[in-house]
């Protein structure tokens, strides 16, 4: 970065060497984030980086090909708007574009867009006839608070907008209903304990990746993409599943000598981080499926060997949840997987393969 102290602009600018490294894909992660954030407000540096990317031996021909394809597609698209018809030589479009009503509409729209306070649109169908519509929500037509909430929900990932959230609610409420409504009592708690750690895995698998997110390619190319976005969405999944499942376990009748309602938290955290770490090698969906299959084979199957419910299930599940040594083992496993995930963080900067 080269620094400038003019007092009229940013204190630093992108140098030619950094622009070349960024274009070649060899810039450090922190430098790339700083550059991409800086060029949002600095047109000079944005032009310099753009020139470096276009001059690259790999990126230059690729961008030229994309530009040619977009222009070819644009030429083939039908022109339906008033401005496009006027450009194409439609006399009626020329008259419409030159009318006072059309000019008023353009002026009002530009005024709302420039101020960001409101949008006023005036249309006219004849002399003395006009309709004025005003909104105080800015150019998007969405109230700022609602727009921000919608962006937060969208950023939380597809899992919180789809069937996974419904399945989570069904499991939590179903456990309570089976315990009190069906008369199963305390035998439901061990069943919930062996099921709860797997549910966040499904949420993580549905939150990020080629097969889960329709905007995956775009999200991966942004500064906040990759592992950063994956961890954000995984945290959103845990923020929803942990309170729901722990609260459901807390209201269930307590089995004598059984683990507490929060005994699944460390196993669930360890499984989630293990799925993320394994996903750095084989992809998020495959990693979550492999960890879930291992849990079913090495925990659920042995725990249910003596019976699917009651004291037999509690006796079979307790060795995997109860006791400081067991919980310490899960914590150590979670820490080891976190270290592996940190070492593999750059693998999430590349697109998954189908």
């Amino acid at each position: 970065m080269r620094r400038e102290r003019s007092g009229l602009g940013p204190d630093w600018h992108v140098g030619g060497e950094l622009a070349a490294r960024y274009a070649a894909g060899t810039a450090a992660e922190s430098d790339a984030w700083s550059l991409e954030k800086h060029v949002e407000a600095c047109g000079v540096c944005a032009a310099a980086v753009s020139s470096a990317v276009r001059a690259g031996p790999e990126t230059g021909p690729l961008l030229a090909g994309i530009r040619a394809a977009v222009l070819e597609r644009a030429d083939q698209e039908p022109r339906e708007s008033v401005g496009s018809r006027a450009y194409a030589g439609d006399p009626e479009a020329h008259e419409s574009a030159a009318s006072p009503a059309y000019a008023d509409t353009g002026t009002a729209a530009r005024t709302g867009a420039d101020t960001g306070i409101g949008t006023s649109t005036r249309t006219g169908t004849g002399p003395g006839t006009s309709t004025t519509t005003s909104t105080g929500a800015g150019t998007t037509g969405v109230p700022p608070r609602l727009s921000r909430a919608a962006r937060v929900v969208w950023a939380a990932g597809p899992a919180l907008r789809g069937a996974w959230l419904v399945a989570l609610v069904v499991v939590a409420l179903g456990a309570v209903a089976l315990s009190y409504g069906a008369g199963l009592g305390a035998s439901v708690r061990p069943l919930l304990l062996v099921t709860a750690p797997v549910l966040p895995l499904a949420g993580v698998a549905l939150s990020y990746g080629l097969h889960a997110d329709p905007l995956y390619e775009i999200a991966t190319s942004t500064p906040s993409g990759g592992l950063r976005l994956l961890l954000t969405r995984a945290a959103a999944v845990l923020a929803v599943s942990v309170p729901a499942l722990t609260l459901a376990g807390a209201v269930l009748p307590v089995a004598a000598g059984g683990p507490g309602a929060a005994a699944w938290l460390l196993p669930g955290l360890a499984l989630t981080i293990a799925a993320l770490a394994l996903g750095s090698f084989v992809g998020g969906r495959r990693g979550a499926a492999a960890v879930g299959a291992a849990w079913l084979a090495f925990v659920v199957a042995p725990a249910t060997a003596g019976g699917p419910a009651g004291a037999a299930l509690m006796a079979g599940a307790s060795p995997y949840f109860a006791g400081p040594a067991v919980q310490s083992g899960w914590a150590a496993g979670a820490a080891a997987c976190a270290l592996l995930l940190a070492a593999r963080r750059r693998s999430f900067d590349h697109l998954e393969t189908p």
Side-chain angles (χ1 to χ4, degrees):
M1 299 283 182
R2 52 188 172 85
R3 297 188 174 274
E4 180 183 272
R5 296 292 180 182
S6 62
L8 300 177
D11 291 336
W12 51 267
H13 293 277
V14 179
E17 189 267 341
L18 177 58
R21 286 193 290 115
Y22 178 81
T26 59
E29 189 175 12
S30 58
D31 291 340
W33 287 353
S34 299
L35 182 148
E36 291 173 349
K37 183 64 178 177
H38 174 73
V39 297
E40 293 178 0
C42 182
V44 176
C45 291
V49 173
S50 178
S51 300
V53 172
R54 290 198 306 269
E58 297 181 357
T59 55
L62 177 62
L63 290 176
I66 294 175
R67 181 177 184 275
V70 170
L71 291 177
E72 181 181 358
R73 179 67 180 271
D75 290 338
Q76 296 173 358
E77 292 290 333
R79 297 185 175 93
E80 299 294 342
S81 65
V82 173
S84 298
R85 285 162 44 213
Y87 179 78
D90 190 340
E92 295 181 1
H94 277 291
E95 295 176 0
S96 300
S99 65
Y102 184 83
D104 290 343
T105 301
T107 303
R110 285 193 301 271
T111 302
D114 292 339
T115 60
I117 299 175
T119 301
S120 176
T121 303
R122 189 192 311 171
T123 58
T125 57
T129 303
S130 66
T131 302
T132 302
T133 303
S134 299
T135 63
T139 59
T140 61
V142 180
R145 291 185 179 179
L146 180 61
S147 179
R148 178 181 177 83
R151 288 195 299 269
V152 170
V153 173
W154 184 266
L160 300 187
R161 306 190 302 267
W164 175 83
L165 185 59
V166 177
L168 177 67
V169 174
V170 168
V171 169
L173 296 181
V176 178
L178 288 175
S179 179
Y180 294 99
L184 296 181
S187 62
V188 179
R189 174 172 281 192
L191 186 61
L192 181 63
L193 280 178
V194 298
T195 305
V198 184
L199 291 176
L201 291 180
V204 171
L206 294 174
S207 295
Y208 191 81
L210 180 63
H211 303 280
D213 191 350
L215 299 177
Y216 170 67
E217 291 85 355
I218 298 176
T220 304
S221 65
T222 63
S224 59
L227 181 60
R228 192 177 185 182
L229 181 59
L230 176 58
L231 291 178
T232 300
R233 293 182 173 180
V237 168
L238 292 175
V240 173
S241 58
V242 167
L245 296 174
T246 304
L247 181 61
V251 300
L252 294 178
V254 180
W264 73 275
L265 293 180
L266 280 177
L269 179 63
L271 293 184
T272 301
I273 301 178
L276 296 177
L278 185 58
S280 67
F281 295 95
V282 298
R285 190 175 64 167
R286 297 188 186 98
V291 173
W295 175 263
L296 293 176
F298 296 105
V299 176
V300 177
T304 57
L313 179 58
M314 178 59 73
S318 293
Y320 302 98
F321 297 96
V326 175
Q327 292 292 325
S328 298
W330 287 116
C337 292
L339 292 177
L340 177 60
L341 181 63
R344 294 278 304 167
R345 64 186 183 278
R346 296 305 295 269
S347 63
F348 294 97
D349 296 338
H350 307 287
L351 295 176
E352 290 183 359
T353 56

